[in-house]
Amino acid sequence: MSISRLYLKLFLAFVAVLIAADAIVFSIVLSNEMPPPMIRNLVEKAELGAMLIQREMEGKETSPQSIKRTLTPLLKLLGKGFNAHIWLTDDAKNLIVSNFEGTPPEVDGELSPVTLEGTSVKLFAIHTNSYRRIYIEMPMVLRNQPPLTTHVLMGKRQRKEEVWFFKGLLLLTALSALFIIPVSRRITRPILQLSEAADRLGKGDFSQRVPEKGKDEVAVLARKFNRMANHLEEMVKSGKELTAHVSHELRSPLARMRISLQLIMERDTTSAKDTLDRQVAKIENEIENMDAIIGHLLAFSKLDLREPPPRTDSIDVAQCFQHKIDQFDTMIEQKALTVTTSLEGIPGYVCNAHAISVVLENLLGNAIKYTAPNGTMSARVALHDGNIEINLSNSHAPLSKKDLVDMFTPFQRLDKGREAGTGLGLAATKKIVEKHGGTIQATYESGCVCMNITLPYSY
């Protein structure tokens, strides 16, 4: 199993932080800024010994000879229990009493003061390479006696506490480094999935998606990757569909042109001129039809291939709709259609004015085309719940639910063969509406086909 560079960087960075933290803790402990727990224990023992000494001397003579005679047994007992040398000196540092024979022991090694909160004793640590000793000085006042000083020199102790602490810290570091392995893999796994999905996407597999878990930066990247993959898949799918539909749509006029050309080539010298002119006119009509199909096809394909049009225009949808109705006035009169309108003025809608104009023109053109003579049409624009609602209905024969959905599919036409068209108008209308953040759907109600558009007013 290969190890990714990102995973290795995370692991090494975490280990480096742990090592730096260990080094800081080591330096604090060794500098006595954080005394081991056993030091406070030793100080408490020394304070207990001082209290026992004072209690032993209560009501007794305080001359040096009396102090020595009274305290020697107690000091020997305390020294044995504490494993320490204990002695008392006067203010001139003369030895008064001790639990050992001879002069006080020399303090060898490095003598460094230790600060311990909650006590007034003077505390020193004696460090050597192999052991640690604690030296304590405590003031003592006896009745009718100048101040004395109690000295306690604890026995040599192996540096077991520090060794144990350092070993524990190193063990904790090692365990933390082991635990970071699954954590690092959990962090790097989504990135590796993104990398693999991007690689497969680049090879043509547009179905690749990655999980979108959480709200961190990796999850945001995953969501953006999936949106990009969706857009690419839609573009490729639309391209394939367009290729299939175009090949079908262009084949019909080409076949008709081929028949007309054959008739012209097979004519004899006695053929009437009007027959030739009629065949040539048919060819010209087919060429114009093909040119229109190609023009609509190019306009429709651009809706997929480019970014949404900039929405920098501010229009009144009702006025724009009324203007389009006026443009179709001649066609409406030719078919003797009855048109009713209920257009609520909604100024300030920010959009791409040209794109919305295309939407309204496509809706009206289709409605007029598929409405029988003497039929009815109804147009409505209103503001509802912060959305602009555009409704256009026209009388029509009943349509199935499948027809109402398929009419938005490229190259799908109702009454194919009876009405001219490319079948791209409503498909383009749907894409424009969606790029403006809206929705469009067709329904059949009370003998009318109803086109319903909803656009967010504050989009």
Side-chain angles (χ1 to χ4, degrees):
M1 180 174 58
S2 60
I3 300 177
S4 67
R5 292 186 178 181
L6 178 60
Y7 163 74
L8 189 60
K9 287 181 179 179
L10 287 173
F11 179 78
L12 293 178
F14 183 79
V15 171
V17 170
L18 286 178
I19 293 175
D22 289 348
I24 294 173
V25 172
F26 288 167
S27 62
I28 292 175
V29 172
L30 294 177
S31 64
N32 293 314
E33 293 296 329
M34 187 174 68
M38 67 92 179
I39 291 183
R40 180 171 291 277
N41 185 33
L42 295 177
V43 171
E44 291 175 353
K45 289 181 178 180
E47 290 177 338
L48 176 62
M51 183 181 66
L52 292 175
I53 292 173
Q54 286 184 318
R55 181 169 297 180
E56 184 70 18
M57 291 300 300
E58 286 182 358
K60 296 182 179 179
E61 189 178 348
T62 58
S63 64
Q65 294 78 11
S66 178
I67 293 175
K68 183 175 181 179
R69 183 173 56 254
T70 303
L71 293 183
T72 297
L74 177 61
L75 292 185
K76 288 184 177 181
L77 181 62
L78 292 175
K80 185 177 181 180
F82 295 167
N83 186 27
H85 290 81
I86 304 174
W87 68 96
L88 272 67
T89 60
D90 58 18
D91 54 355
K93 296 185 179 182
N94 296 317
L95 179 63
I96 298 176
V97 61
S98 68
N99 68 338
F100 51 85
E101 300 295 335
T103 61
E106 293 292 334
V107 176
D108 55 348
E110 181 184 354
L111 188 65
S112 56
V114 178
T115 302
L116 194 64
E117 295 181 358
T119 182
S120 60
V121 303
K122 293 182 180 180
L123 182 64
F124 301 91
I126 304 170
H127 298 282
T128 66
N129 294 331
S130 58
Y131 64 87
R132 174 201 293 270
R133 300 185 77 177
I134 299 299
Y135 173 62
I136 302 172
E137 290 184 356
M138 294 181 295
M140 179 180 297
V141 178
L142 299 179
R143 182 174 57 86
N144 300 323
Q145 181 71 21
L148 302 177
T149 301
T150 302
H151 304 264
V152 180
L153 179 62
M154 297 295 180
K156 298 180 180 179
R157 300 174 63 94
Q158 301 295 325
R159 306 175 68 102
K160 294 180 180 179
E161 290 83 359
E162 290 93 334
V163 173
W164 178 88
F165 177 76
F166 293 155
K167 287 182 178 179
L169 198 58
L170 290 175
L171 179 61
L172 179 62
T173 301
L175 291 176
S176 301
L178 290 177
F179 288 143
I180 195 60
I181 294 176
V183 175
S184 298
R185 289 191 181 279
R186 183 177 178 85
I187 295 173
T188 58
R189 187 181 299 114
I191 300 177
L192 293 177
Q193 290 176 342
L194 270 171
S195 177
E196 293 172 358
D199 184 60
R200 288 193 290 268
L201 186 69
K203 293 178 180 178
D205 183 2
F206 295 100
S207 65
Q208 291 298 313
R209 301 295 184 273
V210 293
E212 302 177 10
K213 297 180 180 179
K215 298 181 180 180
D216 56 11
E217 291 79 1
V218 177
V220 172
L221 180 60
R223 284 191 284 272
K224 290 184 177 181
F225 175 86
N226 289 339
R227 283 199 295 269
M228 178 192 70
N230 288 333
H231 186 60
L232 289 175
E233 187 175 27
E234 290 176 2
M235 288 174 56
V236 173
K237 182 179 179 181
S238 299
K240 291 179 179 179
E241 291 177 350
L242 284 175
T243 301
H245 289 304
V246 167
S247 63
H248 172 74
E249 293 293 325
L250 295 183
R251 187 177 292 115
S252 297
L254 286 174
R256 293 191 292 267
M257 290 172 61
R258 187 179 295 110
I259 293 173
S260 297
L261 286 174
Q262 287 177 352
L263 292 175
I264 293 175
M265 293 174 65
E266 292 173 359
R267 76 185 189 283
D268 54 31
T269 56
T270 60
S271 297
K273 184 177 183 299
D274 59 341
T275 301
L276 295 176
D277 292 340
R278 188 167 56 255
Q279 297 299 329
V280 172
K282 287 183 179 180
I283 294 176
E284 290 178 347
N285 288 335
E286 296 298 344
I287 291 174
E288 291 178 359
N289 186 30
M290 291 177 63
D291 184 64
I293 291 175
I294 293 172
H296 284 92
L297 176 63
L298 289 174
F300 181 76
S301 62
K302 288 179 181 178
L303 294 176
D304 279 325
L305 296 176
R306 69 186 179 189
E307 292 295 319
R311 292 185 287 273
T312 56
D313 305 315
S314 179
I315 66 170
D316 187 322
V317 179
Q319 290 182 359
C320 186
F321 207 175
Q322 184 62 57
H323 177 67
K324 286 299 176 183
I325 293 174
D326 295 339
Q327 287 182 338
F328 283 95
D329 187 59
T330 302
M331 295 178 63
I332 293 172
E333 290 180 357
Q334 286 177 349
K335 301 188 74 171
L337 303 180
T338 300
V339 180
T340 60
T341 60
S342 175
L343 307 178
E344 176 186 343
I346 307 175
Y349 174 56
V350 179
C351 63
N352 183 278
H354 175 71
I356 296 299
S357 177
V358 171
V359 168
L360 299 176
E361 185 172 333
N362 286 342
L363 291 181
L364 285 168
N366 275 280
I368 295 171
K369 182 191 300 183
Y370 291 103
T371 303
N374 301 310
T376 60
M377 291 176 54
S378 175
R380 171 180 171 273
V381 174
L383 185 63
H384 180 69
D385 290 338
N387 295 318
I388 298 175
E389 295 182 349
I390 303 173
N391 309 106
L392 180 64
S393 61
N394 62 284
S395 56
H396 195 280
L399 293 177
S400 66
K401 291 183 178 180
K402 183 176 184 301
D403 289 335
L404 294 173
V405 174
D406 289 347
M407 64 173 58
F408 296 105
T409 303
F411 299 104
Q412 294 293 324
R413 289 180 289 166
L414 300 177
D415 302 326
K416 186 176 289 188
R418 187 170 69 84
E419 298 292 345
T422 61
L424 290 173
L426 288 181
T429 296
K430 184 173 185 293
K431 286 190 177 294
I432 293 174
V433 170
E434 290 176 348
K435 288 183 181 291
H436 278 73
T439 60
I440 181 172
Q441 63 176 353
T443 58
Y444 188 83
E445 302 173 5
S446 303
C448 293
V449 176
C450 304
M451 306 299 295
N452 306 302
I453 295 177
T454 301
L455 294 169
Y457 186 42
S458 58
Y459 191 81

